[in-house]
């Protein structure tokens, strides 16, 4: 039996067969029971959640619900600012930081009546692909506790996959929503850059970061995106583009006669696991069965996207993370007698290894004498990567690719080799370069029972098409809801 | 390029990151050298005539009306301060 989706819970709330307090207690209980094994949360907001749930029930009794998801529990990644609730970014440097304001996406969840039950574990400052780079310990994959859930939004992926919450928000800078969604067998979507406000999302790489939904089904992703999307005067990069009713439009897409681009660069290569290749082939067969035409294309510059990302992302991070200096908030190292030493020691002790590595990479790439060769060159290659997408999308309605070259890998197996970890994002990172939208959905399992995701991608602000196409594919594949990890069985 | 321990030291200073000692310096030198060796593949791409993309989608300046809005109170702004005095953040000696 499958875990209950947010849509089902919303229906039960509307029928009056459950209350929001019932649901919130249920999920808090699931969290308490499974956290010792999963470590998906940094902070569980028990009191706040029960208070919010009681208010939701009062609204419903008065006939004043705020949205279809009013009363549904949700988790948010711990890089989203929550007023009065500590926000750590998985870092020691923010271990005790209690923000005095609220981020826009979180505020919108509250305004839609959702019940925020906790802040999820993540790679420190969203830098990582395994949720092992967390100052609060690694999160475990619910399908195999010895394996990683992916990252950096690993906590949100685990929480949804294991039935700790029905839906969650993550953030995606180079694949940080889609890759853990793929490794945990759930749906994860990176909206177009600017679709969701970044106000109150702690910045890693400002030209790439984007908040998005992590859910059990495509329909839930449509509902959750609809709740948080939209223009925000507090984020000048947020787009003033209308937000359609994504969930209502899901049935409007027919694959018959549609063209889907299969870039050869995403379907070959020594790094591609044979079982992922098998699932990719089966997915393409399904699409052909639905009447889609598979168009072979080449995107010759995507092979440069890892390098481009690690120059641009780290350059932006080196600037963004300069604010963590121990002066105004967060951790401050003891025992220094001048301000420069205080800054350096605070940062040296407060940041983990991967964060320090990326700050130094970015600082070096931007430093005198190297700027043109590294940073400027990467900005130009980014233009070429984007052109690859534009060419593919001229020939087809959507682009398809595996989300991750391999299924969930054993914890610890890539921690000693940063470059090997970076290569986890080889199929997801180029989309962030282009700024377009993409969704990973569960497409099958390995023989060993690990989930495998496939991603569909579309152009700027084409979320409606993307979600409805993914919804049709999800129905045809029949993978979503077909299996539940053992640790989640008690949640059913 | 090889990121020597000397470069690591210089970059750590620019980044305001105190390293724990020679061992950490050596390790960053090894790891960063490997990463920079990899990213130098970008040098082989012909980018003549290609414009740089600092943003994925076109961005333009947006202006708002210059109206006074409530901001953080001193108390709220200082609530997370590691050290404070009166209404000020307190830090070690600057000069």
């Amino acid at each position: 039996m499958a875990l209950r989706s947010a849509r089902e819970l919303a229906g039960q709330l509307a029928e009056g067969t459950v209350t929001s307090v019932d649901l919130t207690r249920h999920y808090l209980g699931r969290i308490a029971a499974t956290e010792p094994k999963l470590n998906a949360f940094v902070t569980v907001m028990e009191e706040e959640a029960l208070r919010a749930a009681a208010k939701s029930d009062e609204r419903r009794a008065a006939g004043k619900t705020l949205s279809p998801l009013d009363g549904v529990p949700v988790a948010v990644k711990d890089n989203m600012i929550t007023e009065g609730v500590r926000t750590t970014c998985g870092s020691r440097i923010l271990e005790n930081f209690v923000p005095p304001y609220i981020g826009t996406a979180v505020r919108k969840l509250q305004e839609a009546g959702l019940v925020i039950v906790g802040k999820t574990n993540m790679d420190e400052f969203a830098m990582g692909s395994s949720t092992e780079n967390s100052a609060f310990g690694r999160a475990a994959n619910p399908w195999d506790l010895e394996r990683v859930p992916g990252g950096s939004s690993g906590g949100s992926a685990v929480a949804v996959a294991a039935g700790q919450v029905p839906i969650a928000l993550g953030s995606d800078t180079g694949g940080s929503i889609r890759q853990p969604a793929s490794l945990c067998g759930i749906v994860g979507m990176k909206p177009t850059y600017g679709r969701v406000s970044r106000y109150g999302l702690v910045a890693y790489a400002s030209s790439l970061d984007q908040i998005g939904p992590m859910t059990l089904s495509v329909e839930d992703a449509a509902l959750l995106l609809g709740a948080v999307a939209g223009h925000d005067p507090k984020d000048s990069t947020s787009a003033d583009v209308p937000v359609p009713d994504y969930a209502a439009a899901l049935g409007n897409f027919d694959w018959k006669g549609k063209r889907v681009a299969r870039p050869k660069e995403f379907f070959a290569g020594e790094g591609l696991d044979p079982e992922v290749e098998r699932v990719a082939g089966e997915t393409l067969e399904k699409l052909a069965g639905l009447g889609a035409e598979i168009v072979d294309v080449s995107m010759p510059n995507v092979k440069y996207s890892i390098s481009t990302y690690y120059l641009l992302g780290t350059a932006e991070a080196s600037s963004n993370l300069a604010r963590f200096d121990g002066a105004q908030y967060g951790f401050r190292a003891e025992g220094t007698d001048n301000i420069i030493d205080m800054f350096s020691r605070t940062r040296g002790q407060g940041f983990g290894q991967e964060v320090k590595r990326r700050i130094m990479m970015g600082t070096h790439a931007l430093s005198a004498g190297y700027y043109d060769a590294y940073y400027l060159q990467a900005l130009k290659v980014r233009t070429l990567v984007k052109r690859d997408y534009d060419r593919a999308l001229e020939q087809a309605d959507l682009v398809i690719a595996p989300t991750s070259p391999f299924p969930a890998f054993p914890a610890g197996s890539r921690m000693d080799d940063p470059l090997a970890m970076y290569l986890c994002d080889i199929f997801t990172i180029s989309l962030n370069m282009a700024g377009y939208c993409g969704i990973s959905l569960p497409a099958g399992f390995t023989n060993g029972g690990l989930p495998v995701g496939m991603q569909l991608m579309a152009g700027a602000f084409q979320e409606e098409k993307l979600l409805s196409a993914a919804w049709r594919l999800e129905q045809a594949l029949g993978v979503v809801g077909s299996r539940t990890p053992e640790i989640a069985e008690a949640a059913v | 390029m090889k990121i020597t321990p000397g470069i690591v030291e210089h970059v750590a200073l620019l980044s305001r990151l105190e390293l724990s000692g020679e061992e950490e310096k050596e390790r960053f030198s090894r790891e960063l050298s490997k990463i920079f060796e990899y990213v130098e593949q970008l040098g082989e791409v012909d980018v003549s005539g290609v414009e740089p993309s600092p943003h994925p989608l076109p961005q333009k300046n947006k202006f708002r009306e210059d109206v006074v809005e409530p901001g953080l109170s001193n108390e709220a702004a200082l609530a997370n301060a590691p050290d404070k005095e009166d209404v000020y953040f307190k830090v070690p000696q600057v000069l």
Side-chain angles (χ1 to χ4, degrees):
Chain A
M1 209 177 124
L3 294 168
R4 285 179 292 173
S5 69
R7 166 59 94 195
E8 287 174 78
L9 298 175
Q12 292 173 352
L13 285 165
E15 286 164 12
T17 52
V18 292
T19 66
S20 179
V21 169
D22 292 339
L23 288 180
T24 303
R25 281 193 200 287
H26 166 80
Y27 286 106
L28 288 169
R30 291 295 310 153
I31 292 169
T34 52
E35 270 301 272
K37 286 180 175 160
L38 296 173
N39 199 30
F41 285 83
V42 175
T43 303
V44 179
M45 297 160 54
E46 185 167 346
E47 277 177 38
E48 294 91 341
L50 288 169
R51 251 199 322 272
K55 281 194 183 149
S56 169
D57 289 334
E58 281 171 27
R59 281 193 299 272
R60 192 171 294 278
K64 289 180 179 166
T65 51
L66 299 169
S67 81
L69 295 178
D70 197 329
V72 174
V74 62
V76 298
K77 187 177 180 178
D78 206 19
N79 58 353
M80 293 177 214
I81 293 288
T82 42
E83 187 174 359
V85 176
R86 75 170 179 157
T87 300
T88 70
C89 286
S91 182
R92 185 171 177 224
I93 210 161
L94 289 178
E95 189 170 3
N96 298 310
F97 174 56
V98 179
Y101 70 104
I102 188 167
T104 298
V106 175
R107 179 177 56 75
K108 281 177 163 258
L109 291 180
Q110 290 183 343
E111 287 173 358
L114 284 98
V115 174
I116 300 167
V117 298
K119 308 292 298 289
T120 57
N121 201 357
M122 55 184 284
D123 286 299
E124 186 178 1
F125 287 103
M127 297 178 183
S129 308
S130 67
T131 317
E132 291 170 289
N133 297 329
S134 168
F136 303 93
R138 76 171 181 96
N141 190 311
W143 297 91
D144 179 345
L145 299 175
E146 299 308 314
R147 291 174 189 268
V148 303
S152 65
S153 310
S156 287
V158 172
V160 171
Q164 294 182 317
V165 283
I167 48 177
L169 287 181
S171 69
D172 191 313
T173 305
S176 280
I177 287 176
R178 291 161 288 152
Q179 185 256 10
S182 175
L183 270 49
C184 289
I186 65 164
V187 174
M189 179 187 191
K190 185 200 92 71
T192 306
Y193 182 78
R195 180 69 295 185
V196 180
S197 170
R198 293 182 296 108
Y199 179 73
L201 173 68
V202 178
Y204 157 24
S206 307
S207 80
L208 304 163
D209 299 338
Q210 187 61 204
I211 292 172
M214 304 182 76
T215 59
L216 291 166
S217 68
V218 174
E219 186 181 25
D220 279 3
L223 285 165
L224 187 52
L225 178 64
V228 296
H231 178 245
D232 178 12
K234 287 182 167 157
D235 172 8
S236 67
T237 64
S238 78
D240 204 354
V241 174
V243 181
D245 187 339
Y246 297 116
L250 289 178
N252 296 349
F253 186 91
D254 187 350
W255 277 100
K256 202 169 167 55
K258 297 294 194 304
R259 295 158 68 89
V260 59
R262 170 173 56 186
K264 66 176 185 196
E265 290 80 4
F266 287 128
F267 286 83
E270 49 194 297
L272 186 61
D273 183 278
E275 295 212 70
V276 174
E277 198 172 359
R278 167 179 61 77
V279 171
E282 291 164 2
T283 308
L284 286 167
E285 277 172 34
K286 276 277 191 255
L287 284 175
L290 290 169
E293 185 190 341
I294 315 292
V295 185
D296 285 308
V297 301
S298 174
M299 297 174 66
N301 295 295
V302 297
K303 65 172 174 285
Y304 300 115
S305 54
I306 296 260
S307 296
T308 310
Y309 175 84
Y310 280 97
L311 288 169
L312 300 182
T314 60
E316 293 185 28
S318 71
S319 170
N320 275 327
L321 272 63
R323 73 191 61 171
F324 303 107
D325 57 12
Q328 294 164 323
Y329 54 88
F331 167 76
R332 180 187 291 186
E334 300 289 336
T336 56
D337 57 8
N338 72 78
I339 198 164
I340 300 294
D341 286 351
M342 189 274 277
F343 289 161
S344 300
R345 192 163 302 168
T346 293
R347 291 162 61 79
Q349 293 178 4
F351 288 137
Q353 291 301 308
E354 181 60 25
V355 174
K356 287 192 233 181
R357 200 150 43 223
R358 292 199 197 184
I359 289 173
M360 287 198 283
M361 271 183 76
T363 303
H364 181 61
L366 289 173
S367 61
Y370 299 107
Y371 178 91
D372 284 2
Y374 291 134
Y375 185 67
L376 189 61
Q377 180 77 5
L379 287 178
K380 290 177 177 174
V381 176
R382 176 185 198 162
T383 305
L384 296 177
V385 171
K386 187 172 181 191
R387 282 186 196 163
D388 279 0
Y389 273 93
D390 289 336
R391 257 196 311 275
L393 289 166
E394 271 167 27
Q395 298 169 65
D397 299 281
L398 296 140
V399 176
I400 190 164
T403 308
S404 164
F406 32 74
F409 47 92
S413 62
R414 286 172 184 264
M415 283 300 273
D416 295 333
D417 185 351
L419 193 55
M421 189 68 92
Y422 297 172
L423 293 171
C424 294
D425 297 325
I426 195 154
F427 294 155
T428 48
I429 235 162
S430 56
L431 188 72
N432 300 73
M433 297 291 133
Y436 297 156
C437 56
I439 188 167
S440 176
L441 70 161
F445 291 88
T446 65
N447 294 330
L450 294 171
V452 175
M454 290 290 291
Q455 61 176 335
L456 290 169
M457 296 169 267
F461 304 106
Q462 295 192 350
E463 281 82 3
E464 191 175 329
K465 177 174 77 178
L466 181 71
L467 283 159
S468 54
W471 186 75
R472 286 282 181 209
L473 177 58
E474 178 187 48
Q475 310 300 309
L477 287 168
V479 172
V480 166
S482 66
R483 293 190 207 183
T484 306
E486 199 182 306
I487 194 164
E489 286 294 339
V492 172
Chain B
M1 70 181 286
K2 184 162 166 51
I3 311 294
T4 61
I7 296 175
V8 170
E9 199 173 324
H10 174 65
V11 172
L13 175 70
L14 293 176
S15 311
R16 299 285 182 263
L17 287 169
E18 186 179 274
L19 301 179
S20 61
E22 287 306 311
E23 196 192 331
E24 192 174 19
K25 214 182 294 175
E26 291 285 342
R27 187 163 40 75
F28 278 131
S29 162
R30 239 179 6 254
E31 292 168 348
L32 291 173
S33 294
K34 195 174 165 193
I35 296 165
F36 272 95
E37 209 170 279
Y38 177 80
V39 302
E40 272 159 20
Q41 64 167 220
L42 292 190
E44 76 192 38
V45 186
D46 179 5
V47 293
S48 43
V50 177
E51 288 294 315
S53 294
H55 279 278
L57 302 170
Q59 298 287 337
K60 54 175 192 265
N61 275 332
K62 291 177 186 168
F63 298 96
R64 60 169 171 79
E65 293 304 313
D66 188 16
V67 290
V68 178
E69 286 180 29
L72 284 184
S73 65
N74 278 334
E75 198 181 43
L78 285 164
N80 282 285
D83 197 5
K84 61 190 165 189
E85 196 172 306
D86 299 328
V87 293
Y88 303 107
F89 295 102
K90 196 172 171 186
V91 295
Q93 191 177 345
V94 175
L95 291 174

